Amino acid sequence: MTGRIPMVSLIQTLAVAEHLNFRHAANVLGVTQSSISARVKALEETLGVQLFERRHRGVRLTEAGRQFVAGVSAGIGHLDHVVRTVGALAAGTEGRLHIGLHTSIAAGFLAELRQRYRNAYPGIEQIIAEGRSSETIGLVRDGKLDVAFVVNTPPPPDCHSRELWREPIVAALPITHPLALSPSVLWRDLVRETFLVRTGASGPQVFDHVVRRVAERGASPQVHRRDVGRDTLMHMVATGDGITLTTEAASHVTFPGVVFRPIGDEPEAARFSAVWSPHNGSPALKNLLDLAIQMKSSARAA
């Protein structure tokens, strides 16, 4: 063979093989019988083999024809699968979405966003990575994460960023603490406390917030940084090593021996933003951000 075989010739040949009749195949494809006959004959001449035995009432596949049709059918089926897969990727309905975060996904805006996104796009696998804001933003820059959800973080100059939701800041206390029975607490009640913060995740932001609030009230902050995960930190709170701050959504996770109380005179809320690279053209990411913006608009309207 010196040239490429037109796809239309292969499709018409498969139709003839299915119906074993040129006229029936032509009717199904909406072409003339003479044109389909001519294309099949030209294909046979190109291949140098006879694919069909012509008979008065139809045709019959030769052995070479059966082998050829089986191979072409498999090839076109694979090509069709590839085309549909690529189309789904382009539409953002299949594939993977790499999400970075350092906050609880058990409840709140992010948990609802992920659930709604999963319902709308079940073919997208959500891959979660947890780390500090600086780490997840760095991974966004490197193209290893599609989006990072960060809290109280200034917008990176080389990335796109959008604030999506806010959550009240709450105090996590041991259940034996004198303030545990109060419906809420005030900062003046907390300034003499020992605060525990994580070195990772949102720990640096919590550290800065505690130092600022305690200093505003003329006290010297007692803040201990611990290189532990969320569960271990809450266990330390439960055993009386200190107290900590978290957000409302994170307080929906039950930790034995820990109670969460709103801070009545806290003027700020934790601000959560999405950060993504301007070079990321992922349709799956666009669909997630569009859904998040819709949720934010709906929450404002309510």
Side-chain angles (χ1 to χ4, degrees):
M1 295 189 295
T2 58
R4 296 180 178 179
I5 298 173
M7 179 64 74
V8 65
S9 297
L10 299 178
I11 293 174
Q12 291 185 357
T13 299
L14 292 181
V16 174
E18 179 181 356
H19 297 282
L20 296 177
N21 187 289
F22 281 102
R23 181 169 58 84
H24 293 166
N27 289 338
V28 170
L29 295 177
V31 298
T32 64
Q33 180 176 342
S34 60
S35 67
I36 198 172
S37 178
R39 281 193 179 276
V40 172
K41 183 173 181 59
L43 176 60
E44 289 177 320
E45 291 175 353
T46 300
L47 296 173
V49 297
Q50 184 179 357
L51 301 176
F52 299 97
E53 294 178 0
R54 277 73 170 173
R55 298 184 174 191
H56 179 66
R57 293 183 176 275
V59 298
R60 185 175 70 175
L61 281 164
T62 64
E63 180 59 30
R66 282 192 289 271
Q67 294 285 343
F68 181 78
V69 166
V72 170
S73 296
I76 289 181
H78 179 69
L79 178 61
D80 180 65
H81 172 72
V82 170
V83 170
R84 285 187 285 106
T85 299
V86 171
L89 289 171
T93 56
E94 288 189 13
R96 293 179 175 180
L97 192 66
H98 296 261
I99 301 171
L101 51 86
H102 62 235
T103 185
S104 172
I105 57 175
F109 186 98
L110 187 54
E112 184 179 355
L113 172 62
R114 293 184 64 244
Q115 186 59 55
R116 288 193 185 186
Y117 187 78
R118 182 179 294 108
N119 293 340
Y121 304 99
I124 297 294
E125 180 185 3
Q126 300 180 39
I127 302 175
I128 303 298
E130 198 173 49
R132 302 180 185 179
S133 295
S134 58
E135 293 171 347
T136 56
I137 292 174
L139 293 173
V140 166
R141 290 191 181 103
D142 294 340
K144 296 177 181 178
L145 288 178
D146 292 296
V147 62
F149 291 100
V150 298
V151 57
N152 293 346
T153 302
D158 57 344
C159 293
H160 290 323
S161 178
R162 180 155 188 164
E163 183 180 314
L164 292 174
W165 78 99
R166 297 187 178 194
E167 293 177 14
I169 298 171
V170 301
L173 312 170
I175 199 169
T176 55
H177 196 284
L179 296 174
L181 297 177
S182 303
S184 65
V185 297
L186 299 174
W187 270 109
R188 68 172 182 240
D189 303 321
L190 304 177
V191 294
R192 304 298 177 191
E193 297 288 340
T194 297
F195 286 86
L196 305 176
V197 302
R198 298 167 62 190
T199 57
S202 58
Q205 289 89 342
V206 174
F207 180 90
D208 292 342
H209 192 85
V210 170
V211 169
R212 185 170 69 253
R213 288 287 179 263
V214 174
E216 287 171 351
R217 285 154 181 82
S220 179
Q222 300 295 319
V223 188
H224 295 169
R225 301 190 190 201
R226 297 291 181 260
D227 188 13
V228 296
R230 183 185 302 112
D231 289 357
T232 300
L233 187 74
M234 289 302 171
H235 175 73
M236 294 175 69
V237 170
T239 55
D241 291 335
I243 69 173
T244 192
L245 301 182
T246 188
T247 60
E248 184 180 57
S251 70
H252 291 285
V253 181
T254 300
F255 292 98
V258 177
V259 295
F260 300 94
R261 294 293 180 260
I263 305 174
D265 57 348
E266 172 54 56
E268 297 182 22
R271 303 180 307 277
F272 291 86
S273 301
V275 177
W276 67 98
S277 169
H279 308 295
N280 190 333
S282 165
L285 171 62
K286 181 181 182 302
N287 291 338
L288 178 74
L289 294 173
D290 287 347
L291 180 57
I293 292 169
Q294 291 173 13
M295 287 176 55
K296 178 182 180 181
S297 299
S298 298
R300 282 181 173 176

